[in-house]
Amino acid sequence: MKQIKKTKEPQSFSEWKAKANSDWKPAWENLQNPEKVDILEKLIEDQHGICCYCEARISVESAHIEHIVPRSIDIRKRLSFSNLLASCQKETQKGDPLTCGKSRGDWYDKDFYLNPCDENSRKEIIYLLDGNVTVQNKNFKIFIEKINLNIESKKEHVLTL
């Protein structure tokens, strides 16, 4: 897993949040374009155009915004740029296997979640020649299972890198 080095949030996002007043508070639920696209573009730029989990190539059209700590777990981090990543699988069809952020959903365990922004997480993931993904420390196997990295479509991606 490549380490993601976060940069400063987009100016449009900062300005949008600064509009807070007694009648209106910024919330994830009312975040729209152009700010939302600006955030996604900046995340993809910070990640050098790859998914935060599987390292597949992504674009604004193919990615979605992922929360490191899910919105349902900590509302204070919902609008924190440092809590946001870009993950693959923006759209899925019924029956498509879910992977990465879509598979993970609201799962988060601070002891077993491998944060792509953490240098130690980078050392933990092992990409095998057969396309499988494993971990150094078996305690983190749940992370690989939760983001479903060992499905066939991901193995094919790894083998074509």
Side-chain angles (χ1 to χ4, degrees), residues 5-21:
K5 296 184 179 175
K6 303 286 291 193
T7 59
K8 192 175 178 186
E9 69 184 21
Q11 185 172 346
S12 64
F13 187 40
S14 301
E15 291 170 355
W16 177 79
K17 292 189 289 186
K19 291 178 183 177
N21 59 52

Side-chain angles (χ1 to χ4, degrees), residues 114 121 123-128 133-144:
L114 292 172
S121 294
K123 299 171 188 172
E124 194 60 47
I125 299 282
I126 302 166
Y127 295 93
L128 303 173
V133 181
T134 190
V135 287
Q136 293 277 357
N137 180 333
K138 297 303 177 198
N139 291 330
F140 292 113
K141 189 173 182 181
I142 190 170
F143 175 77
I144 300 299

Side-chain angles (χ1 to χ4, degrees), residues 19-63:
K19 291 178 183 177
N21 59 52
S22 59
D23 296 324
W24 180 81
K25 300 282 185 251
W28 184 259
E29 295 72 22
N30 61 26
L31 178 62
Q32 298 180 13
N33 293 331
E35 294 83 9
K36 202 167 196 176
V37 168
D38 291 347
I39 292 166
L40 188 54
E41 286 175 343
K42 185 64 172 165
L43 293 169
I44 292 169
E45 178 184 319
D46 285 354
Q47 295 172 207
H48 304 284
I50 61 173
C51 173
C52 60
Y53 299 122
C54 71
E55 300 182 7
R57 285 266 160 229
I58 56 172
S59 66
V60 170
E61 294 76 27
S62 67

Side-chain angles (χ1 to χ4, degrees), residues 62-126:
S62 67
H64 71 276
I65 298 172
E66 168 82 350
H67 287 75
I68 295 169
V69 177
R71 295 176 291 178
S72 63
I73 293 177
D74 189 342
I75 61 170
R76 296 167 298 156
K77 293 185 177 185
R78 287 180 178 180
L79 295 174
S80 173
F81 188 72
S82 64
N83 189 49
L84 304 177
L85 298 168
S87 179
C88 64
Q89 276 197 327
K90 181 176 191 170
E91 302 292 330
T92 56
Q93 302 298 320
K94 187 176 181 178
D96 284 351
L98 299 180
T99 186
C100 298
K102 293 281 186 173
S103 176
R104 177 182 163 228
D106 283 349
W107 176 80
Y108 180 76
D109 183 320
K110 66 181 176 65
D111 295 324
F112 301 111
Y113 175 78
L114 292 172
N115 184 340
C117 299
D118 181 2
E119 183 178 346
N120 293 325
S121 294
R122 180 179 67 89
K123 299 171 188 172
E124 194 60 47
I125 299 282
I126 302 166

